[in-house]
Amino acid sequence: MTPETQAAALREQLNRAAHQYYTLDAPELPDAEYDRLFAELQALEAAHPELRTPDSPTQRVGGAPLAEFAQVRHSVPMLSIHTETDSSPAGAAAFDARVRAALELVGDAVIDYVAEPKFDGLAINLRYEHGVLVQAATRGDGSTGEDVTANIRTVQQIPLRLQGSAPPLLEVRGELYMRRDAFEALNERQRQLMAAGDKAARTFANPRNAAAGAVRQLDSRITAQRRLSFFAYGLGAITPPQEGGPVFEYHWDILQALRAWGFPVSDLAQCAHGAAALLEYHAKIAAQRDALPFDIDGVVYKVDALAQQRRLGFASREPRWAVAHKYPPQEQLTQVLAIEVQVGRTGRLTPVAHLQPVTVGGALVARATLHNELEVQRKDVRVGDTVVVRRAGDVIPEVVSVLMERRPPEAVPFVMPAHCPVCGSEAVREEGEADRRCTAGALCAAQRQQALQHFASRRAMDIEGLGEKLAAQLCESGMVQSLADVYGLQLAPLAALDRMGERSAQNLLDALERSKHTTLPRFLFALGIRHVGERTAQDLARHFGTLDTIMDADEEALMQVEDVGPAVAHSLHSFFAQPGSRALVQALRAAGVTWEEGAPAKDAPQPLAGATFVLTGTLPTMSREQAKERLQAAGAKVAGSVSAKTSCVVAGTEAGSKLDKARALGVRVIDEAAMLAMLDSGAGLNFLEENTSQADFSDLPLFSLAPAAQRTGGEGQG
Ligand code: IVH
């Protein structure tokens, strides 16, 4: 194969894969394979720059920034559609009546239409010559638009080369838009950039503005990072039939041809026979509107037969054969009555605007999120302001912007409280973060259920049977107000809870009793201190030995612990600085929670440092959690899956695929007894080298401790 044919084959394969992935939503090529082929094509193009064609998928990443956009004169003007003035469902009948009158239809002749969603993005004209995308332009004033080819090339759903046979000239028209999830993710990222001090970062009011902003980027590499989508809905210039171009009789056939050329065409487009079907379509799409992954602002009706379209013609630059039938807008003006700060289950403080209730996109909205204090500052939302609220789909309504000219003179800037409005504890915003959080954790009523669930979880206090549902019941009934209350629960009131009964209640009491004998790392982790995960809790316990020394340590002392940085140290210190935290620890101890305290072991031996273990199956005497703790205490990493890097697998009975994999990779496998002996020896993996031998592979295929007699001659697995 010459480099040229090889590059062509790679382009073809990659373009097909992208079409399957982005347009058909039915990927066939594994991602890794796509990446491999892509890298191959990139290497080939680097070695032979002349092979870098405009339809190469490598050209989708964006290129050097432009100084400005060139002007493009549309060879066929890009028209707008008339909006039906009667936005009630009856508007469809009005349009049908006008079409019938203009066509001078008599009797009960019925018109066939195509009904489509009216996508809320921006119109784009895509020009293909001999099947290759050569130019993309915005609508502009309808006669002249801007050349945004470099940006449009980065949109994965837009084919760089048409599929099948295409006319020499083809212009495709459609809507460029941003999906709601892409929009939310973009704004979230922008908020983070703003929190990190990026002065140029800003959020976008709605997906349409975000899409328009992305297309008008002079730097196409930025466009490439925004996830844009496209729906084709029509044609512009095309090779005429007398020069071999395709002949279409119906708009519906155009949509099918667009799909066959590789364009996304909405599944929601459908044929509609007469006015009644249009009405039905209007109602059907209205009912689906909130659940759609993208914004629409109405539906469009188009006369299906192109011969009829030609007879209908145009009226003042608008076709008589099409109409837009709008839905209620997703943005409305209203007034801010108050700004309240809510505390979420994770302690996050969210400012929420209470609004003069207003109907937005068909639903009544009385509250809207202001996201965080930085957003409130940037938008400068104040009580009394007239604001734009947006509600789209299931997304929480948000305040988009303020109408400054309508601001009452007495309006004062909003100040985020420095204390949690629920519990009064300090609320802090860490550097580089957008959110302010309550520091009280479990002590804060807003966070109680979440805190209780965490406290009871397997890796924390391991209270069997205390899951999400029960945690909610306990908190909601008021039976648990402080975490320590769980150890005071009584049989009768527990048994009376919904779906409980005496037996489950007794089981819970037994589990609670068992959980009292714990370890310091588990206890520390169970407190749910922000940034203190399982591993950090273990490091802290190892370093300080006792809870009291941890509680009394200042930030500097805390940072002496490996992997404890300023954020963790600050979080720990401010947690234990709250009197409530100390009272909670006191109450839990008084309730009988105990653990073995050790000496501060700054240089506790870590014989398994650098080794990675995997646990599988049921061990004879200990739970996998316990085994994990022991291994981690000796410095080992405990991983979830076996790889060539795994040092050793500890297997119990009913060990499954992990054991098979270990065997296939030749990874050492031991049983619990060998693990315990190794831990007790303090010699780490060396102990195994010296003391294990391969047991019978047919039964439990483990390396276990060799019988004493064989031990001297036993061989390890090297
Ligand atoms: S057809 C001559 N179909 O609505 C008719 N337009 O005023 C050409 N739009 O900005 C337009 N969805 O981008 C058509 N399914 C659809 C549409 C649609 C959205 C936009 C279009 C233009 C405006 C038309």
Side-chain angles (χ1 to χ4, degrees):
M1 234 196 290
T2 65
E4 199 175 343
T5 52
Q6 196 185 348
L10 284 167
R11 282 198 301 270
E12 147 90 34
Q13 228 178 328
L14 287 163
N15 280 335
R16 182 149 22 89
H19 178 248
Q20 280 160 353
Y21 186 95
Y22 291 102
T23 302
L24 303 181
D25 210 4
E28 279 180 12
L29 202 65
D31 288 2
E33 185 61 8
Y34 183 91
D35 293 345
R36 197 184 64 72
L37 296 174
F38 192 89
E40 203 177 309
L41 180 59
Q42 266 181 328
L44 202 60
E45 288 177 349
H48 307 272
E50 72 282 3
L51 298 181
R52 201 171 279 146
T53 59
D55 69 330
S56 170
T58 61
Q59 302 308 296
R60 288 201 188 270
V61 293
L66 303 174
E68 58 175 10
F69 295 112
Q71 302 276 305
V72 173
R73 188 143 184 101
H74 299 301
S75 41
V76 175
M78 291 182 79
L79 304 173
S80 61
I81 346 178
H82 179 73
T83 298
E84 185 56 55
T85 33
D86 184 354
S87 67
S88 81
F95 169 62
D96 180 61
R98 285 202 307 276
V99 169
R100 294 166 54 82
L103 288 174
E104 298 176 333
L105 290 191
V106 287
D108 46 14
V110 176
I111 313 257
D112 282 308
Y113 297 97
V114 172
E116 303 169 15
K118 187 170 188 301
F119 313 107
D120 201 3
L122 59 148
I124 294 284
N125 184 66
L126 304 170
R127 189 177 171 94
Y128 291 81
E129 289 175 7
H130 304 287
V132 178
L133 176 69
V134 294
Q135 188 183 66
T138 59
R139 177 168 177 269
D141 64 6
S143 314
T144 310
E146 283 178 321
D147 184 337
V148 289
T149 315
N151 291 342
I152 290 300
R153 268 192 216 295
T154 70
V155 179
Q156 298 281 1
Q157 283 192 335
I158 294 181
L160 298 176
R161 173 182 284 275
L162 300 175
Q163 293 184 1
S165 67
L169 172 65
L170 177 71
E171 284 186 0
V172 172
R173 292 192 172 164
E175 198 83 351
L176 191 74
Y177 67 97
M178 192 179 280
R179 286 170 53 111
R180 286 174 185 157
D181 54 0
F183 166 70
E184 295 297 325
L186 171 63
N187 266 0
E188 188 54 40
R189 209 159 51 238
Q190 297 300 101
R191 280 192 282 273
Q192 274 160 14
L193 289 175
M194 284 158 63
D198 183 339
K199 293 272 181 294
R202 64 178 198 99
T203 53
F204 296 89
N206 53 47
R208 175 169 27 83
N209 285 4
V215 163
R216 301 215 64 261
Q217 279 291 337
L218 288 166
D219 186 345
S220 52
R221 285 166 300 198
I222 296 178
T223 316
Q225 290 162 16
R226 309 271 161 93
R227 282 193 291 138
L228 293 170
S229 303
F230 183 75
F231 277 127
Y233 55 62
L235 298 176
I238 183 166
T239 309
Q242 57 271 27
E243 289 170 31
V247 181
F248 293 111
E249 279 185 64
Y250 297 97
H251 177 66
W252 184 252
D253 295 342
I254 293 177
L255 294 183
Q256 305 320 309
L258 288 167
R259 205 175 261 140
W261 281 319
F263 293 95
V265 172
S266 174
D267 290 337
L268 298 172
Q270 69 180 57
C271 293
H273 186 63
L278 294 180
L279 275 170
E280 212 176 286
Y281 184 79
H282 186 269
K284 181 183 102 170
I285 300 297
Q288 291 179 24
R289 185 185 187 192
D290 272 359
L292 295 178
F294 46 84
D295 280 6
I296 61 171
D297 55 350
V299 288
V300 180
Y301 310 132
K302 300 172 182 174
V303 171
D304 192 21
L306 302 184
Q308 288 182 331
Q309 285 191 6
R310 282 188 287 271
R311 277 172 59 202
L312 286 159
F314 299 86
S316 61
R317 314 205 73 222
E318 285 172 351
R320 278 205 201 86
W321 46 263
V323 81
H325 200 176
K326 300 254 185 123
Y327 290 132
Q330 286 176 317
E331 283 173 14
Q332 283 291 3
L333 289 183
T334 189
Q335 258 184 324
V336 177
L337 303 178
I339 299 177
E340 180 204 65
V341 177
Q342 290 185 347
V343 187
R345 294 200 312 159
T346 59
R348 177 157 119 177
L349 270 58
T350 305
V352 174
H354 287 238
L355 308 167
Q356 181 65 45
V358 63
T359 307
V360 189
L364 195 68
V365 172
R367 283 138 55 96
T369 182
L370 290 161
H371 296 289
N372 59 49
E373 60 195 284
L374 296 174
E375 281 275 284
V376 187
Q377 273 166 24
R378 189 183 66 84
K379 292 174 180 164
D380 190 16
V381 182
R382 306 182 184 188
V383 175
D385 273 343
T386 299
V387 293
V388 176
V389 275
R390 174 182 148 85
R391 185 197 77 91
D394 301 330
V395 181
I396 302 165
E398 65 167 355
V399 172
V400 172
S401 58
V402 176
L403 269 72
M404 290 299 172
E405 63 279 13
R406 295 212 203 162
R407 168 166 288 169
E410 69 279 7
V412 291
F414 169 78
V415 184
M416 192 74 166
H419 291 89
C420 171
V422 172
C423 73
S425 303
E426 206 193 339
V428 297
R429 184 163 72 83
E430 282 167 27
E431 215 177 284
E433 286 203 18
D435 297 312
R436 187 176 287 267
R437 288 171 190 276
C438 167
T439 53
L443 303 171
C444 174
Q447 299 169 71
R448 195 165 293 146
Q449 184 195 322
Q450 175 110 335
L452 177 58
Q453 250 169 268
H454 171 78
F455 183 79
S457 65
R458 204 162 46 85
R459 283 157 19 173
M461 297 301 282
D462 196 12
I463 306 170
E464 220 182 303
L466 209 176
E468 185 176 345
K469 289 214 177 72
L470 185 55
Q473 280 180 302
L474 292 173
C475 291
E476 278 158 21
S477 66
M479 287 166 78
V480 171
Q481 299 199 355
S482 152
L483 286 180
D485 293 346
V486 288
Y487 291 112
L489 290 171
Q490 301 290 320
L491 187 65
L494 265 181
L497 285 175
D498 220 25
R499 300 160 55 104
M500 255 317 239
E502 193 148 321
R503 209 184 139 126
S504 311
Q506 188 55 53
N507 286 344
L508 179 68
L509 291 181
D510 293 345
L512 280 163
E513 203 49 46
R514 281 197 303 275
S515 76
K516 287 180 182 172
H517 306 284
T518 188
T519 64
L520 178 53
R522 277 176 174 268
F523 183 77
L524 257 183
F525 176 58
L527 292 174
I529 305 163
R530 190 162 147 75
H531 296 316
V532 180
E534 219 178 346
R535 184 76 207 224
T536 304
Q538 285 161 359
D539 291 344
L540 286 163
R542 197 161 40 235
H543 183 94
F544 289 102
T546 69
L547 183 64
D548 290 324
T549 41
I550 297 172
M551 291 203 295
D552 292 339
D554 57 22
E555 292 185 29
E556 204 175 316
L558 290 166
M559 287 203 289
Q560 298 303 307
V561 180
E562 207 192 336
D563 290 338
V564 170
V568 185
H570 181 73
S571 172
L572 267 163
H573 189 255
S574 54
F575 181 83
F576 286 120
Q578 318 256 4
S581 306
R582 296 198 174 234
L584 171 65
V585 169
Q586 187 52 44
L588 287 167
R589 277 176 154 161
V593 175
T594 59
W595 57 85
E596 235 176 83
E597 294 210 305
K602 264 196 186 120
D603 36 23
Q606 300 252 291
L608 291 177
T612 304
F613 280 71
V614 172
L615 296 158
T616 180
T618 310
L619 303 180
T621 73
M622 50 201 320
S623 71
R624 287 223 291 273
E625 275 311 314
Q626 289 169 322
K628 181 173 169 184
E629 272 166 29
R630 290 286 308 268
L631 288 167
Q632 285 176 335
K637 213 180 124 206
V638 178
S641 61
V642 178
S643 77
K645 290 196 190 120
T646 308
S647 319
C648 183
V649 169
V650 182
T653 50
E654 276 152 52
S657 62
K658 290 182 195 173
L659 183 56
D660 298 339
K661 179 128 187 236
R663 268 194 269 156
L665 292 172
V667 171
R668 183 203 308 273
V669 181
I670 62 171
D671 62 8
E672 183 197 274
M675 178 190 79
L676 290 173
M678 170 190 70
L679 289 169
D680 289 344
S681 77
L685 293 173
N686 288 337
F687 174 83
L688 297 178
E689 307 277 329
E690 286 157 20
N691 293 291
T692 56
S693 73
Q694 191 163 0
D696 181 1
F697 259 55
S698 62
D699 183 22
L700 254 189
L702 308 175
F703 283 95
S704 75
L705 278 187
Q710 289 179 16
R711 207 170 273 175
T712 42
E715 51 181 273
Q717 182 176 275

